[in-house]
Every structure is written in structure tokens, then in C-alpha cells.
PDB file of all heavy atoms in Angstrom:
ATOM      1  N   ASN A1199      37.085  22.362 -62.911  1.00 91.00           N
ATOM      2  CA  ASN A1199      37.372  21.043 -62.246  1.00 91.00           C
ATOM      3  C   ASN A1199      36.051  20.229 -62.297  1.00 91.00           C
ATOM      4  O   ASN A1199      34.995  20.656 -62.188  1.00 91.00           O
ATOM      5  CB  ASN A1199      37.805  21.241 -60.826  1.00 91.00           C
ATOM      6  CG  ASN A1199      39.076  22.055 -60.652  1.00 91.00           C
ATOM      7  OD1 ASN A1199      40.163  21.651 -61.102  1.00 91.00           O
ATOM      8  ND2 ASN A1199      38.941  23.231 -60.128  1.00 91.00           N
ATOM      9  N   ASP A1200      36.307  18.877 -62.497  1.00 90.00           N
ATOM     10  CA  ASP A1200      35.233  17.979 -62.545  1.00 90.00           C
ATOM     11  C   ASP A1200      34.780  17.555 -61.187  1.00 90.00           C
ATOM     12  O   ASP A1200      35.455  16.768 -60.470  1.00 90.00           O
ATOM     13  CB  ASP A1200      35.618  16.752 -63.314  1.00 90.00           C
ATOM     14  CG  ASP A1200      34.429  15.869 -63.656  1.00 90.00           C
ATOM     15  OD1 ASP A1200      33.545  15.668 -62.769  1.00 90.00           O
ATOM     16  OD2 ASP A1200      34.361  15.332 -64.804  1.00 90.00           O
ATOM     17  N   LEU A1201      33.693  18.133 -60.619  1.00 90.00           N
ATOM     18  CA  LEU A1201      33.269  17.954 -59.278  1.00 90.00           C
ATOM     19  C   LEU A1201      32.903  16.489 -59.010  1.00 90.00           C
ATOM     20  O   LEU A1201      33.172  15.822 -58.031  1.00 90.00           O
ATOM     21  CB  LEU A1201      32.016  18.823 -58.944  1.00 90.00           C
ATOM     22  CG  LEU A1201      31.393  18.619 -57.570  1.00 90.00           C
ATOM     23  CD1 LEU A1201      32.374  18.924 -56.498  1.00 90.00           C
ATOM     24  CD2 LEU A1201      30.099  19.490 -57.416  1.00 90.00           C
ATOM     25  N   TRP A1202      32.221  15.836 -60.027  1.00 89.00           N
ATOM     26  CA  TRP A1202      31.789  14.446 -59.884  1.00 89.00           C
ATOM     27  C   TRP A1202      32.939  13.500 -59.691  1.00 89.00           C
ATOM     28  O   TRP A1202      32.977  12.653 -58.733  1.00 89.00           O
ATOM     29  CB  TRP A1202      30.986  14.032 -61.152  1.00 89.00           C
ATOM     30  CG  TRP A1202      30.228  12.776 -60.941  1.00 89.00           C
ATOM     31  CD1 TRP A1202      30.531  11.503 -61.439  1.00 89.00           C
ATOM     32  CD2 TRP A1202      29.037  12.587 -60.173  1.00 89.00           C
ATOM     33  NE1 TRP A1202      29.619  10.598 -61.092  1.00 89.00           N
ATOM     34  CE2 TRP A1202      28.686  11.195 -60.315  1.00 89.00           C
ATOM     35  CE3 TRP A1202      28.259  13.394 -59.415  1.00 89.00           C
ATOM     36  CZ2 TRP A1202      27.594  10.690 -59.676  1.00 89.00           C
ATOM     37  CZ3 TRP A1202      27.103  12.842 -58.835  1.00 89.00           C
ATOM     38  CH2 TRP A1202      26.782  11.513 -58.915  1.00 89.00           C
ATOM     39  N   LYS A1203      34.039  13.622 -60.489  1.00 92.00           N
ATOM     40  CA  LYS A1203      35.252  12.879 -60.348  1.00 92.00           C
ATOM     41  C   LYS A1203      35.938  13.121 -59.061  1.00 92.00           C
ATOM     42  O   LYS A1203      36.464  12.227 -58.384  1.00 92.00           O
ATOM     43  CB  LYS A1203      36.177  13.105 -61.501  1.00 92.00           C
ATOM     44  CG  LYS A1203      35.730  12.524 -62.820  1.00 92.00           C
ATOM     45  CD  LYS A1203      36.686  12.766 -63.898  1.00 92.00           C
ATOM     46  CE  LYS A1203      36.242  12.143 -65.254  1.00 92.00           C
ATOM     47  NZ  LYS A1203      37.225  12.366 -66.300  1.00 92.00           N
ATOM     48  N   ALA A1204      35.890  14.405 -58.583  1.00 93.00           N
ATOM     49  CA  ALA A1204      36.551  14.770 -57.380  1.00 93.00           C
ATOM     50  C   ALA A1204      35.784  14.099 -56.137  1.00 93.00           C
ATOM     51  O   ALA A1204      36.402  13.641 -55.214  1.00 93.00           O
ATOM     52  CB  ALA A1204      36.610  16.321 -57.212  1.00 93.00           C
ATOM     53  N   ILE A1205      34.451  14.107 -56.196  1.00 92.00           N
ATOM     54  CA  ILE A1205      33.721  13.475 -55.119  1.00 92.00           C
ATOM     55  C   ILE A1205      33.993  12.005 -55.094  1.00 92.00           C
ATOM     56  O   ILE A1205      34.208  11.473 -53.974  1.00 92.00           O
ATOM     57  CB  ILE A1205      32.203  13.696 -55.372  1.00 92.00           C
ATOM     58  CG1 ILE A1205      31.850  15.204 -55.149  1.00 92.00           C
ATOM     59  CG2 ILE A1205      31.388  12.872 -54.434  1.00 92.00           C
ATOM     60  CD1 ILE A1205      30.430  15.531 -55.549  1.00 92.00           C
ATOM     61  N   GLU A1206      34.063  11.345 -56.262  1.00 94.00           N
ATOM     62  CA  GLU A1206      34.347   9.905 -56.276  1.00 94.00           C
ATOM     63  C   GLU A1206      35.772   9.662 -55.649  1.00 94.00           C
ATOM     64  O   GLU A1206      35.947   8.716 -54.879  1.00 94.00           O
ATOM     65  CB  GLU A1206      34.328   9.323 -57.682  1.00 94.00           C
ATOM     66  CG  GLU A1206      32.903   9.296 -58.260  1.00 94.00           C
ATOM     67  CD  GLU A1206      32.895   8.726 -59.660  1.00 94.00           C
ATOM     68  OE1 GLU A1206      33.969   8.755 -60.331  1.00 94.00           O
ATOM     69  OE2 GLU A1206      31.821   8.161 -60.108  1.00 94.00           O
ATOM     70  N   GLU A1207      36.681  10.480 -55.984  1.00 95.00           N
ATOM     71  CA  GLU A1207      38.066  10.326 -55.559  1.00 95.00           C
ATOM     72  C   GLU A1207      38.152  10.486 -54.012  1.00 95.00           C
ATOM     73  O   GLU A1207      38.719   9.774 -53.278  1.00 95.00           O
ATOM     74  CB  GLU A1207      39.031  11.238 -56.233  1.00 95.00           C
ATOM     75  CG  GLU A1207      40.458  11.080 -55.833  1.00 95.00           C
ATOM     76  CD  GLU A1207      41.455  11.969 -56.588  1.00 95.00           C
ATOM     77  OE1 GLU A1207      40.945  12.949 -57.136  1.00 95.00           O
ATOM     78  OE2 GLU A1207      42.614  11.667 -56.647  1.00 95.00           O
ATOM     79  N   TRP A1208      37.418  11.606 -53.536  1.00 93.00           N
ATOM     80  CA  TRP A1208      37.476  11.933 -52.100  1.00 93.00           C
ATOM     81  C   TRP A1208      36.755  10.840 -51.298  1.00 93.00           C
ATOM     82  O   TRP A1208      37.143  10.407 -50.263  1.00 93.00           O
ATOM     83  CB  TRP A1208      36.844  13.234 -51.868  1.00 93.00           C
ATOM     84  CG  TRP A1208      37.752  14.398 -51.932  1.00 93.00           C
ATOM     85  CD1 TRP A1208      38.455  14.757 -53.088  1.00 93.00           C
ATOM     86  CD2 TRP A1208      38.156  15.286 -50.944  1.00 93.00           C
ATOM     87  NE1 TRP A1208      39.241  15.847 -52.850  1.00 93.00           N
ATOM     88  CE2 TRP A1208      39.075  16.257 -51.516  1.00 93.00           C
ATOM     89  CE3 TRP A1208      37.816  15.467 -49.597  1.00 93.00           C
ATOM     90  CZ2 TRP A1208      39.654  17.265 -50.837  1.00 93.00           C
ATOM     91  CZ3 TRP A1208      38.342  16.527 -48.869  1.00 93.00           C
ATOM     92  CH2 TRP A1208      39.306  17.376 -49.506  1.00 93.00           C
ATOM     93  N   GLU A1209      35.644  10.285 -51.874  1.00 92.00           N
ATOM     94  CA  GLU A1209      34.938   9.167 -51.148  1.00 92.00           C
ATOM     95  C   GLU A1209      35.828   7.939 -50.988  1.00 92.00           C
ATOM     96  O   GLU A1209      35.877   7.336 -49.972  1.00 92.00           O
ATOM     97  CB  GLU A1209      33.684   8.836 -51.920  1.00 92.00           C
ATOM     98  CG  GLU A1209      32.589   9.886 -51.776  1.00 92.00           C
ATOM     99  CD  GLU A1209      31.394   9.524 -52.655  1.00 92.00           C
ATOM    100  OE1 GLU A1209      31.538   8.769 -53.654  1.00 92.00           O
ATOM    101  OE2 GLU A1209      30.246  10.058 -52.366  1.00 92.00           O
ATOM    102  N   PHE A1210      36.536   7.683 -52.121  1.00 95.00           N
ATOM    103  CA  PHE A1210      37.484   6.521 -52.085  1.00 95.00           C
ATOM    104  C   PHE A1210      38.574   6.755 -50.971  1.00 95.00           C
ATOM    105  O   PHE A1210      38.858   5.856 -50.201  1.00 95.00           O
ATOM    106  CB  PHE A1210      38.070   6.287 -53.444  1.00 95.00           C
ATOM    107  CG  PHE A1210      39.203   5.269 -53.410  1.00 95.00           C
ATOM    108  CD1 PHE A1210      38.895   3.943 -53.445  1.00 95.00           C
ATOM    109  CD2 PHE A1210      40.519   5.664 -53.369  1.00 95.00           C
ATOM    110  CE1 PHE A1210      39.927   2.974 -53.364  1.00 95.00           C
ATOM    111  CE2 PHE A1210      41.552   4.707 -53.372  1.00 95.00           C
ATOM    112  CZ  PHE A1210      41.196   3.369 -53.374  1.00 95.00           C
ATOM    113  N   LEU A1211      39.224   7.943 -51.047  1.00 95.00           N
ATOM    114  CA  LEU A1211      40.298   8.226 -50.084  1.00 95.00           C
ATOM    115  C   LEU A1211      39.810   8.193 -48.620  1.00 95.00           C
ATOM    116  O   LEU A1211      40.476   7.732 -47.747  1.00 95.00           O
ATOM    117  CB  LEU A1211      40.907   9.561 -50.395  1.00 95.00           C
ATOM    118  CG  LEU A1211      41.625   9.601 -51.748  1.00 95.00           C
ATOM    119  CD1 LEU A1211      42.066  11.056 -52.109  1.00 95.00           C
ATOM    120  CD2 LEU A1211      42.860   8.650 -51.713  1.00 95.00           C
ATOM    121  N   LEU A1212      38.592   8.673 -48.380  1.00 94.00           N
ATOM    122  CA  LEU A1212      38.055   8.746 -47.053  1.00 94.00           C
ATOM    123  C   LEU A1212      37.619   7.394 -46.540  1.00 94.00           C
ATOM    124  O   LEU A1212      37.553   7.112 -45.285  1.00 94.00           O
ATOM    125  CB  LEU A1212      36.880   9.768 -46.920  1.00 94.00           C
ATOM    126  CG  LEU A1212      37.337  11.241 -47.113  1.00 94.00           C
ATOM    127  CD1 LEU A1212      36.123  12.179 -47.165  1.00 94.00           C
ATOM    128  CD2 LEU A1212      38.197  11.653 -45.929  1.00 94.00           C
ATOM    129  N   GLU A1213      37.267   6.540 -47.438  1.00 94.00           N
ATOM    130  CA  GLU A1213      36.964   5.130 -47.054  1.00 94.00           C
ATOM    131  C   GLU A1213      38.334   4.433 -46.602  1.00 94.00           C
ATOM    132  O   GLU A1213      38.230   3.592 -45.683  1.00 94.00           O
ATOM    133  CB  GLU A1213      36.418   4.316 -48.275  1.00 94.00           C
ATOM    134  CG  GLU A1213      34.948   4.676 -48.521  1.00 94.00           C
ATOM    135  CD  GLU A1213      34.415   3.872 -49.683  1.00 94.00           C
ATOM    136  OE1 GLU A1213      35.191   3.050 -50.297  1.00 94.00           O
ATOM    137  OE2 GLU A1213      33.211   4.048 -50.091  1.00 94.00           O
ATOM    138  N   GLN A1214      39.394   4.763 -47.179  1.00 95.00           N
ATOM    139  CA  GLN A1214      40.675   4.196 -46.761  1.00 95.00           C
ATOM    140  C   GLN A1214      41.104   4.726 -45.419  1.00 95.00           C
ATOM    141  O   GLN A1214      41.626   3.958 -44.609  1.00 95.00           O
ATOM    142  CB  GLN A1214      41.775   4.513 -47.834  1.00 95.00           C
ATOM    143  CG  GLN A1214      41.387   4.165 -49.206  1.00 95.00           C
ATOM    144  CD  GLN A1214      40.829   2.840 -49.463  1.00 95.00           C
ATOM    145  OE1 GLN A1214      41.422   1.841 -49.128  1.00 95.00           O
ATOM    146  NE2 GLN A1214      39.610   2.743 -50.040  1.00 95.00           N
ATOM    147  N   LYS A1215      40.906   6.029 -45.188  1.00 95.00           N
ATOM    148  CA  LYS A1215      41.220   6.650 -44.015  1.00 95.00           C
ATOM    149  C   LYS A1215      40.364   7.863 -43.725  1.00 95.00           C
ATOM    150  O   LYS A1215      40.391   8.776 -44.558  1.00 95.00           O
ATOM    151  CB  LYS A1215      42.681   7.032 -43.920  1.00 95.00           C
ATOM    152  CG  LYS A1215      43.233   7.580 -42.605  1.00 95.00           C
ATOM    153  CD  LYS A1215      44.612   8.076 -42.736  1.00 95.00           C
ATOM    154  CE  LYS A1215      45.621   6.923 -43.094  1.00 95.00           C
ATOM    155  NZ  LYS A1215      47.024   7.481 -43.138  1.00 95.00           N
ATOM    156  N   SER A1216      39.591   7.894 -42.682  1.00 94.00           N
ATOM    157  CA  SER A1216      38.624   8.990 -42.515  1.00 94.00           C
ATOM    158  C   SER A1216      39.345  10.294 -42.116  1.00 94.00           C
ATOM    159  O   SER A1216      40.523  10.337 -41.727  1.00 94.00           O
ATOM    160  CB  SER A1216      37.651   8.594 -41.331  1.00 94.00           C
ATOM    161  OG  SER A1216      38.357   8.604 -40.103  1.00 94.00           O
ATOM    162  N   LEU A1217      38.558  11.415 -42.226  1.00 92.00           N
ATOM    163  CA  LEU A1217      39.141  12.654 -41.904  1.00 92.00           C
ATOM    164  C   LEU A1217      39.531  12.704 -40.372  1.00 92.00           C
ATOM    165  O   LEU A1217      40.496  13.289 -40.072  1.00 92.00           O
ATOM    166  CB  LEU A1217      38.124  13.759 -42.185  1.00 92.00           C
ATOM    167  CG  LEU A1217      38.590  15.188 -41.913  1.00 92.00           C
ATOM    168  CD1 LEU A1217      39.827  15.574 -42.724  1.00 92.00           C
ATOM    169  CD2 LEU A1217      37.467  16.224 -42.210  1.00 92.00           C
ATOM    170  N   PHE A1218      38.715  12.064 -39.587  1.00 93.00           N
ATOM    171  CA  PHE A1218      38.990  11.986 -38.111  1.00 93.00           C
ATOM    172  C   PHE A1218      40.317  11.237 -37.966  1.00 93.00           C
ATOM    173  O   PHE A1218      41.207  11.754 -37.164  1.00 93.00           O
ATOM    174  CB  PHE A1218      37.889  11.140 -37.425  1.00 93.00           C
ATOM    175  CG  PHE A1218      38.243  10.883 -35.973  1.00 93.00           C
ATOM    176  CD1 PHE A1218      38.120  11.849 -35.025  1.00 93.00           C
ATOM    177  CD2 PHE A1218      38.687   9.613 -35.612  1.00 93.00           C
ATOM    178  CE1 PHE A1218      38.468  11.576 -33.661  1.00 93.00           C
ATOM    179  CE2 PHE A1218      39.028   9.328 -34.329  1.00 93.00           C
ATOM    180  CZ  PHE A1218      38.906  10.307 -33.368  1.00 93.00           C
ATOM    181  N   GLN A1219      40.596  10.182 -38.625  1.00 93.00           N
ATOM    182  CA  GLN A1219      41.895   9.523 -38.466  1.00 93.00           C
ATOM    183  C   GLN A1219      43.026  10.371 -38.969  1.00 93.00           C
ATOM    184  O   GLN A1219      44.087  10.401 -38.343  1.00 93.00           O
ATOM    185  CB  GLN A1219      41.908   8.148 -39.306  1.00 93.00           C
ATOM    186  CG  GLN A1219      40.925   7.137 -38.671  1.00 93.00           C
ATOM    187  CD  GLN A1219      40.760   5.943 -39.642  1.00 93.00           C
ATOM    188  OE1 GLN A1219      40.471   6.026 -40.809  1.00 93.00           O
ATOM    189  NE2 GLN A1219      41.012   4.727 -39.079  1.00 93.00           N
ATOM    190  N   ARG A1220      42.832  11.099 -40.075  1.00 93.00           N
ATOM    191  CA  ARG A1220      43.873  11.957 -40.590  1.00 93.00           C
ATOM    192  C   ARG A1220      44.161  13.116 -39.580  1.00 93.00           C
ATOM    193  O   ARG A1220      45.340  13.464 -39.370  1.00 93.00           O
ATOM    194  CB  ARG A1220      43.493  12.469 -41.909  1.00 93.00           C
ATOM    195  CG  ARG A1220      43.355  11.412 -42.999  1.00 93.00           C
ATOM    196  CD  ARG A1220      42.652  11.902 -44.221  1.00 93.00           C
ATOM    197  NE  ARG A1220      42.393  10.796 -45.122  1.00 93.00           N
ATOM    198  CZ  ARG A1220      43.221  10.323 -46.088  1.00 93.00           C
ATOM    199  NH1 ARG A1220      44.371  10.963 -46.285  1.00 93.00           N
ATOM    200  NH2 ARG A1220      42.875   9.315 -46.870  1.00 93.00           N
ATOM    201  N   VAL A1221      43.148  13.677 -38.974  1.00 89.00           N
ATOM    202  CA  VAL A1221      43.377  14.751 -38.008  1.00 89.00           C
ATOM    203  C   VAL A1221      44.112  14.206 -36.789  1.00 89.00           C
ATOM    204  O   VAL A1221      44.972  14.836 -36.226  1.00 89.00           O
ATOM    205  CB  VAL A1221      42.011  15.417 -37.641  1.00 89.00           C
ATOM    206  CG1 VAL A1221      42.193  16.384 -36.490  1.00 89.00           C
ATOM    207  CG2 VAL A1221      41.439  16.148 -38.811  1.00 89.00           C
ATOM    208  N   ARG A1222      43.660  13.007 -36.319  1.00 87.00           N
ATOM    209  CA  ARG A1222      44.321  12.367 -35.198  1.00 87.00           C
ATOM    210  C   ARG A1222      45.797  12.174 -35.491  1.00 87.00           C
ATOM    211  O   ARG A1222      46.719  12.418 -34.556  1.00 87.00           O
ATOM    212  CB  ARG A1222      43.617  11.040 -34.861  1.00 87.00           C
ATOM    213  CG  ARG A1222      44.182  10.377 -33.591  1.00 87.00           C
ATOM    214  CD  ARG A1222      43.301   9.257 -33.207  1.00 87.00           C
ATOM    215  NE  ARG A1222      43.231   8.213 -34.235  1.00 87.00           N
ATOM    216  CZ  ARG A1222      42.394   7.134 -34.182  1.00 87.00           C
ATOM    217  NH1 ARG A1222      41.697   6.934 -33.196  1.00 87.00           N
ATOM    218  NH2 ARG A1222      42.407   6.297 -35.244  1.00 87.00           N
ATOM    219  N   GLU A1223      46.152  11.774 -36.680  1.00 88.00           N
ATOM    220  CA  GLU A1223      47.583  11.645 -36.967  1.00 88.00           C
ATOM    221  C   GLU A1223      48.323  12.939 -37.000  1.00 88.00           C
ATOM    222  O   GLU A1223      49.451  12.983 -36.515  1.00 88.00           O
ATOM    223  CB  GLU A1223      47.691  10.998 -38.426  1.00 88.00           C
ATOM    224  CG  GLU A1223      47.352   9.531 -38.447  1.00 88.00           C
ATOM    225  CD  GLU A1223      47.382   8.940 -39.888  1.00 88.00           C
ATOM    226  OE1 GLU A1223      47.680   9.709 -40.770  1.00 88.00           O
ATOM    227  OE2 GLU A1223      47.123   7.709 -40.043  1.00 88.00           O
ATOM    228  N   GLN A1224      47.704  13.947 -37.468  1.00 90.00           N
ATOM    229  CA  GLN A1224      48.340  15.272 -37.390  1.00 90.00           C
ATOM    230  C   GLN A1224      48.523  15.729 -36.026  1.00 90.00           C
ATOM    231  O   GLN A1224      49.483  16.407 -35.650  1.00 90.00           O
ATOM    232  CB  GLN A1224      47.479  16.327 -38.243  1.00 90.00           C
ATOM    233  CG  GLN A1224      47.410  16.039 -39.741  1.00 90.00           C
ATOM    234  CD  GLN A1224      48.771  16.198 -40.345  1.00 90.00           C
ATOM    235  OE1 GLN A1224      49.598  17.037 -39.980  1.00 90.00           O
ATOM    236  NE2 GLN A1224      49.033  15.262 -41.322  1.00 90.00           N
ATOM    237  N   ARG A1225      47.527  15.465 -35.163  1.00 86.00           N
ATOM    238  CA  ARG A1225      47.593  15.829 -33.709  1.00 86.00           C
ATOM    239  C   ARG A1225      48.797  15.109 -33.096  1.00 86.00           C
ATOM    240  O   ARG A1225      49.539  15.643 -32.298  1.00 86.00           O
ATOM    241  CB  ARG A1225      46.285  15.492 -33.042  1.00 86.00           C
ATOM    242  CG  ARG A1225      46.305  15.823 -31.480  1.00 86.00           C
ATOM    243  CD  ARG A1225      45.005  15.471 -30.859  1.00 86.00           C
ATOM    244  NE  ARG A1225      44.953  15.797 -29.479  1.00 86.00           N
ATOM    245  CZ  ARG A1225      45.350  14.924 -28.475  1.00 86.00           C
ATOM    246  NH1 ARG A1225      45.786  13.677 -28.829  1.00 86.00           N
ATOM    247  NH2 ARG A1225      45.267  15.283 -27.287  1.00 86.00           N
ATOM    248  N   LYS A1226      48.844  13.823 -33.362  1.00 85.00           N
ATOM    249  CA  LYS A1226      49.997  13.020 -32.865  1.00 85.00           C
ATOM    250  C   LYS A1226      51.367  13.577 -33.237  1.00 85.00           C
ATOM    251  O   LYS A1226      52.294  13.713 -32.403  1.00 85.00           O
ATOM    252  CB  LYS A1226      49.907  11.569 -33.334  1.00 85.00           C
ATOM    253  CG  LYS A1226      49.005  10.658 -32.515  1.00 85.00           C
ATOM    254  CD  LYS A1226      49.164   9.244 -32.975  1.00 85.00           C
ATOM    255  CE  LYS A1226      48.385   8.292 -32.186  1.00 85.00           C
ATOM    256  NZ  LYS A1226      48.596   6.856 -32.550  1.00 85.00           N
ATOM    257  N   ALA A1227      51.435  13.954 -34.554  1.00 86.00           N
ATOM    258  CA  ALA A1227      52.711  14.458 -35.027  1.00 86.00           C
ATOM    259  C   ALA A1227      53.083  15.774 -34.381  1.00 86.00           C
ATOM    260  O   ALA A1227      54.240  16.011 -33.988  1.00 86.00           O
ATOM    261  CB  ALA A1227      52.580  14.661 -36.570  1.00 86.00           C
ATOM    262  N   ARG A1228      52.051  16.654 -34.198  1.00 88.00           N
ATOM    263  CA  ARG A1228      52.246  17.941 -33.499  1.00 88.00           C
ATOM    264  C   ARG A1228      52.662  17.819 -32.093  1.00 88.00           C
ATOM    265  O   ARG A1228      53.629  18.394 -31.618  1.00 88.00           O
ATOM    266  CB  ARG A1228      51.035  18.822 -33.642  1.00 88.00           C
ATOM    267  CG  ARG A1228      51.187  20.225 -33.009  1.00 88.00           C
ATOM    268  CD  ARG A1228      49.965  21.029 -33.249  1.00 88.00           C
ATOM    269  NE  ARG A1228      48.680  20.380 -32.915  1.00 88.00           N
ATOM    270  CZ  ARG A1228      48.310  20.260 -31.651  1.00 88.00           C
ATOM    271  NH1 ARG A1228      49.012  20.807 -30.612  1.00 88.00           N
ATOM    272  NH2 ARG A1228      47.188  19.675 -31.353  1.00 88.00           N
ATOM    273  N   GLU A1229      51.874  16.920 -31.379  1.00 85.00           N
ATOM    274  CA  GLU A1229      52.159  16.768 -29.908  1.00 85.00           C
ATOM    275  C   GLU A1229      53.464  16.049 -29.768  1.00 85.00           C
ATOM    276  O   GLU A1229      54.232  16.329 -28.791  1.00 85.00           O
ATOM    277  CB  GLU A1229      51.032  15.915 -29.337  1.00 85.00           C
ATOM    278  CG  GLU A1229      49.651  16.683 -29.287  1.00 85.00           C
ATOM    279  CD  GLU A1229      49.643  17.712 -28.282  1.00 85.00           C
ATOM    280  OE1 GLU A1229      50.610  17.946 -27.581  1.00 85.00           O
ATOM    281  OE2 GLU A1229      48.549  18.389 -28.165  1.00 85.00           O
TER     282      GLU A1229
END
């Protein structure tokens, strides 16, 4: 796997929605 491309992709996705926001959404769904 191309780590450099993966990092760029993850950085882009986390700029759109942080890991904290994603975890909070999962918490909401579970609760």
C-alpha cells in the first residue's frame, strides 16, 4: 500500500470531519 497517498487521503477526510466528530456520531447512534 502507498503510505504517502493514504496519509494525504486521511488528512483530507479528517479535515472534513475529525475523528472526535466521527466518534461522537457513533456514540449518538449507539445511545
Side-chain angles (χ1 to χ4, degrees):
N1199 301 293
D1200 190 320
L1201 177 61
W1202 193 255
K1203 288 183 179 178
I1205 290 173
E1206 288 182 339
E1207 184 177 18
W1208 275 61
E1209 286 175 339
F1210 172 79
L1211 293 172
L1212 291 173
E1213 282 179 4
Q1214 312 310 304
K1215 186 186 296 183
S1216 70
L1217 181 59
F1218 172 77
Q1219 291 172 309
R1220 294 167 190 270
V1221 171
R1222 185 170 58 186
E1223 287 178 357
Q1224 292 297 322
R1225 178 180 182 271
K1226 274 188 177 183
R1228 178 176 53 79
E1229 295 287 359

